Amino acid sequence: MSRIPATFERLARAGHKALIPFFSVGDPSLPLCVPTMRAMVTGGADIIELGIPFSDPMADGPTIQRSSERALKNGVTLHDVLATVAQFRQTDNVTPVVLMGYANPIERMGREHFAGQCAAAGVDGVLVVDYPPDEARDLGQLLGPQGVDSIFLLSPTSTDARVKEIASLATGYIYYVSLRGVTGASNIDPQDVARQIARIKAVARVPVGVGFGIRDGATARQLAETADAIVVGSRIVEEIEASPADEVPARVGALINRFRQAMDA
Amino acid sequence: MKIYDMPDAQGHFGPYGGTFVSETLIAAIDELKAQYLHYRDDPQFQAEFAYELKHYVGRPSPIYHARRLSDSLGGAQIYLKREDLNHTGAHKINNTVGQAMLARRMGKQRIIAETGAGQHGVASATVAARYGMECVVYMGSEDVRRQAQNVYRMKLLGARVVPVESGSKTLKDALNEAMRDWVTNVQNTFYIIGTVAGPHPYPMMVRDFNSVVGRECLTQMPEMAGRQPDVVLACVGGGSNAMGIFHPYIPHESVRLMGVEAGGEGIASGHHAASLVAGSPGVLHGNRTYLLQDGNGQIIETHSISAGLDYPGVGPEHAWLKDSHRAEYVAINDDEALHAFHTLCRMEGIIPALESSHALAQAMKMAPTMDKDRILLVNLSGRGDKDMATVAERSGIKL
């Protein structure tokens, strides 16, 4: 079993919702990655989503595209991402780590090898944006027995039949995409999100998180009334972009703490 | 004749193709698939499509026997399928008419498209004007610079051209950006993909709309030459003109099918766009196919003198035709394509697109090694007016 269910149970007992920050491994640099992850945990992150850099991030807006490009410029590979998790695990064996990325780097490594490497490194969940369940059923079957969860997206346009299908396959948590658009967009409608989360929760066996376009503590707090987890990505990447490299961990930690305070208030 | 019925219901051509997209696009793709399957079998839709192809596009396009060129090479006879004579100057219009007709029936008022050389962008802007629809074309900023004339043509036709600054600033990045637009505006927007790539049903649908090219050849060749050709040649970037002419010939097993990729500065140089010749399988833009990628699965930048072939992937059906050995794929480099371009200008009074010049160059390579009664049919997929600046620049001439 991954570290994800225990994390949600602990939060439920405390009456809190999960805060899940995202950033791309290698942005601004590989050596700063683990210190940034630690600062995130200190700031109040419950689960960390690590982006696997990809040259063609089709579902991402300009902010995360730039982040992916910086990471690739730094030469970061999927091997580096896995090594980062392994290094993080030397000092933190509690906080779940989820890898988020696109299919091709995984295809290149080989799905079976990738699944084994995830388990060995201490990865808790994998979300591959362009692996819908129909095309990647075997990845779930490879990850599951090794204690790595398969996390899937649902969107405002997902049909009821689709919600049911994904609910039956998802482990760890379900990631609801809050809007019609790409990461970092600004057209989020909290009332619509609340209705959609309720629709998913009616059939889901795992917690339901929400992400895309959550830029401030107030929105996070509002959405956390219905969702079990809040994913913040582009806003964190903007903070990384705006910070001198040596201040990245501290400033990202402080930003996460502001989200934490807003959500728990 | 063997029955060929690819793809399967999920859009797979053997291990290739499929629907590798984010959940945010699944509903739109399911809707598109259902609507296309419905109208594909609708006689009224097909009748309107045939009418548009005849009266708006100018079909059927003729086949021309390039006698002077063939005689000068001293071998096989070269025939040209004159897609360059279509309205807007290339095969691309066949597909955009079909998809725009579908968009209208689906109630989508806004169309978006990606373009490399600008031919598909022009063809999309053209049908948008024809049907009174809003049109936004995404084009890599590098291509905007290389194809200034086509950018202006699109604007004249009422389209908005959005330069894409991300990644390598070429066709693949334009496709990424169009996908992002589609995800955002999915209720009112129809995405007209210009090649036989993308998620299912695009590879099948774009092939079907372009198959008119091959179907015409099947009747025209016996009329002109008394028989079918020995080899059918077409250039392959994404591969829509090639699939269009290949597909009706797939069951005709005596006809060799030959796809010609962009060899750029030579395969050994690494500066090329030959995904089938020098790439490996992977997942990009919604399908599994051959890609130009590094050892870590990152897509690498491509090079070709022709913007229309400058793409690191290829339609999944070509990947299948390669693996199943039904088609052969070779590469022609920039210099060879340019030589073929100039030769056709001087010998036949036809200015071919640089893309099509790749297929022609391969035919010119093969012809002298074959008997005079052999027939090579080249899909002359587009005309070269758009390439004047590129060719002049390569020849050291400032226009």
Side-chain angles (χ1 to χ4, degrees), chain B residues 46-222:
Chain B
Q46 291 304 334
E48 185 185 328
F49 184 51
Y51 182 93
E52 294 292 304
L53 290 182
K54 181 174 178 192
H55 296 281
Y56 190 64
V57 175
R59 305 206 69 90
S61 67
I63 289 181
Y64 171 73
H65 182 185
R67 278 181 219 273
R68 284 195 70 211
L69 176 66
S70 307
D71 288 349
S72 78
L73 295 165
Q77 302 305 305
I78 295 178
Y79 285 72
L80 305 175
K81 176 63 172 167
R82 298 291 309 274
E83 290 298 294
D84 60 313
L85 294 177
N86 291 338
H87 180 41
T88 72
H91 71 287
K92 293 285 187 189
I93 188 87
N94 303 322
N95 168 51
T96 57
V97 166
Q99 288 199 48
M101 281 174 49
L102 191 57
R104 270 158 60 89
R105 281 164 173 77
M106 290 170 68
K108 311 279 184 186
Q109 274 306 308
R110 179 176 180 268
I111 62 173
I112 56 172
E114 85 294 337
T115 198
Q119 290 305 97
H120 174 59
V122 167
S124 298
T126 299
V127 295
R130 160 81 180 80
Y131 293 119
M133 300 160 108
E134 184 190 346
C135 180
V136 177
V137 179
Y138 291 94
M139 190 170 185
S141 60
E142 180 63 20
D143 291 333
V144 168
R145 188 189 61 77
R146 287 196 281 190
Q147 302 286 342
Q149 264 202 23
N150 265 345
V151 173
Y152 184 58
R153 284 170 82 192
M154 287 183 262
K155 288 180 180 167
L156 279 178
L157 292 160
R160 189 159 67 86
V161 179
V162 180
V164 177
E165 299 287 352
S166 57
S168 60
K169 303 177 174 61
T170 59
L171 177 56
K172 80 173 176 75
D173 310 285
L175 217 150
N176 292 337
E177 207 54 37
M179 285 278 184
R180 292 178 188 123
D181 180 313
W182 196 26
V183 165
T184 309
N185 301 296
V186 72
Q187 303 104 310
N188 72 340
T189 297
F190 188 103
Y191 179 16
I192 301 188
I193 292 187
T195 192
V196 287
H200 180 61
Y202 282 103
M204 173 179 79
M205 177 169 70
V206 176
R207 172 200 76 193
D208 291 349
F209 287 139
N210 272 310
S211 290
V212 63
V213 178
R215 282 198 308 274
E216 286 174 4
C217 293
L218 278 178
T219 35
Q220 289 169 320
M221 281 309 300

Side-chain angles (χ1 to χ4, degrees), chain A residues 53-61 65 69 72 76-79 103-105 107-108 111 129-133 135 153-159 162 166 177 179-182 187 212, chain B residues 10 12 17-28 166-167 172-173 175-177 179-180 183-187 280-286 288 291 293-299:
Chain A
F54 182 51
S55 52
D56 294 80
M58 264 173 20
D60 285 300
Q65 287 173 46
E69 281 175 21
L72 289 176
V76 170
T77 67
L78 180 49
H79 295 280
N104 203 50
E107 294 267 310
R108 190 68 180 168
R111 293 180 188 183
V129 175
D130 50 354
Y131 264 164
E135 298 287 4
L153 298 172
L154 279 171
S155 89
T157 54
S158 301
T159 60
R162 187 78 178 172
I166 293 211
V177 175
L179 45 80
R180 291 178 170 86
V182 292
N187 50 335
F212 279 40
Chain B
Q10 282 73 47
H12 294 121
T19 313
F20 292 87
V21 296
S22 161
E23 179 64 25
T24 47
L25 276 177
I26 291 287
S166 57
K172 80 173 176 75
D173 310 285
L175 217 150
N176 292 337
E177 207 54 37
M179 285 278 184
R180 292 178 188 123
V183 165
T184 309
N185 301 296
V186 72
Q187 303 104 310
S280 54
V283 170
L284 179 69
H285 293 153
R288 183 180 283 120
L291 302 174
Q293 56 181 324
D294 69 14
N296 296 303
Q298 306 298 340
I299 306 307

Side-chain angles (χ1 to χ4, degrees), chain A residues 48-179:
Chain A
I48 297 174
E49 280 187 4
L50 289 180
I52 306 166
F54 182 51
S55 52
D56 294 80
M58 264 173 20
D60 285 300
T63 305
I64 292 177
Q65 287 173 46
R66 284 197 303 273
S67 158
S68 203
E69 281 175 21
R70 284 192 295 270
L72 289 176
K73 227 172 239 170
N74 290 334
V76 170
T77 67
L78 180 49
H79 295 280
D80 295 321
V81 173
L82 291 160
T84 298
V85 179
Q87 198 195 334
F88 176 71
R89 283 280 167 255
Q90 290 173 5
T91 55
D92 186 330
N93 204 22
V94 180
T95 309
V97 176
V98 171
L99 302 188
M100 184 169 181
Y102 293 82
N104 203 50
I106 296 167
E107 294 267 310
R108 190 68 180 168
M109 180 177 274
R111 293 180 188 183
E112 201 168 343
H113 185 62
F114 171 71
Q117 293 291 302
C118 281
V123 170
D124 298 281
V126 170
L127 196 177
V128 185
V129 175
D130 50 354
Y131 264 164
D134 298 338
E135 298 287 4
R137 234 164 260 274
D138 65 317
L139 182 62
Q141 286 158 3
L142 291 165
L143 291 170
Q146 313 229 39
V148 181
D149 289 322
S150 290
I151 294 162
F152 289 101
L153 298 172
L154 279 171
S155 89
T157 54
S158 301
T159 60
D160 288 344
R162 187 78 178 172
V163 171
K164 236 185 207 165
E165 184 196 355
I166 293 211
S168 74
L169 295 169
T171 56
Y173 57 93
I174 288 170
Y175 185 142
Y176 175 67
V177 175
S178 65
L179 45 80

Side-chain angles (χ1 to χ4, degrees), chain B residues 330-386:
Chain B
V330 296
I332 282 290
N333 65 30
D334 289 350
D335 291 338
E336 294 169 310
L338 262 175
H339 172 69
F341 172 96
H342 286 294
T343 306
L344 198 69
C345 289
R346 294 297 182 92
M347 286 248 166
E348 301 287 354
I350 297 172
I351 303 177
L354 283 172
E355 289 77 9
S356 324
S357 300
H358 286 72
L360 185 66
Q362 177 63 22
M364 288 167 58
K365 228 183 216 183
M366 291 167 74
T369 69
M370 297 167 75
D371 290 341
K372 284 185 179 170
D373 60 352
R374 301 282 102 181
I375 297 175
L376 303 175
L377 174 61
V378 175
N379 194 8
L380 202 75
S381 54
R383 58 176 173 246
D385 306 41
K386 68 181 174 59

Side-chain angles (χ1 to χ4, degrees), chain A residues 168-204:
Chain A
S168 74
L169 295 169
T171 56
Y173 57 93
I174 288 170
Y175 185 142
Y176 175 67
V177 175
S178 65
L179 45 80
R180 291 178 170 86
V182 292
T183 52
S186 55
N187 50 335
I188 196 165
D189 173 356
Q191 268 147 26
D192 181 57
V193 173
R195 273 193 301 274
Q196 296 276 6
I197 299 268
R199 176 168 77 113
I200 298 166
K201 279 193 158 183
V203 292

